[in-house]
Amino acid sequence: MMTVWGQPNCGPCSAVTGKLDRAGVVYEYKDLTEEQHAEKLAEFKEAGYQGTPLIETPDEIIQHHDPLRLKAAIERAQQAQMDTLTADPELHRSSPDIT
């Protein structure tokens, strides 16, 4: 699962979430300006990250809109999603028809 950490009116944040949407990748968007994420914002600042978006994957944090790293992360996420569907086909079943 990916988390995109962004902020309002962030063009690069919109570009990243758009790419993830088009790729069919499951992700969560969180606004770093919200008070509930103040501790995470402090962690990112302490680690030296400046600016958004920050794309957090199980393996790494991608700062800004790094096309090559984002492409690789999307490919890993797509593969992980396929692996999950293969392991549990019930997850892929559509809801039953209501007649």
Side-chain angles (χ1 to χ4, degrees):
M1 173 72 135
M2 283 188 195
T3 302
V4 177
W5 296 91
Q7 60 185 321
N9 302 314
C10 171
C13 299
S14 296
V16 166
T17 57
K19 279 187 178 185
L20 295 175
D21 290 339
R22 286 188 298 280
V25 171
V26 176
Y27 68 94
E28 186 173 8
Y29 176 85
K30 295 186 180 181
D31 183 344
L32 275 172
T33 66
E34 292 178 357
E35 185 61 34
Q36 66 193 30
H37 302 304
E39 189 174 313
K40 190 68 173 182
L41 177 59
E43 287 177 28
F44 283 141
K45 285 183 176 182
E46 187 175 313
Y49 293 109
Q50 298 177 357
T52 54
L54 293 169
I55 303 102
E56 190 171 23
T57 75
D59 305 319
E60 65 182 330
I61 296 175
I62 303 168
Q63 186 173 13
H64 301 299
H65 186 171
D66 183 329
L68 294 177
R69 289 178 66 198
L70 182 58
K71 181 179 183 227
I74 287 171
E75 290 170 356
R76 286 192 306 273
Q78 288 171 325
Q79 185 60 52
Q81 287 173 205
M82 289 300 294
D83 292 347
T84 299
L85 290 175
T86 302
D88 189 354
E90 290 295 315
L91 292 174
H92 189 61
R93 288 183 47 170
S94 60
S95 56
D97 292 330
I98 300 174
T99 55

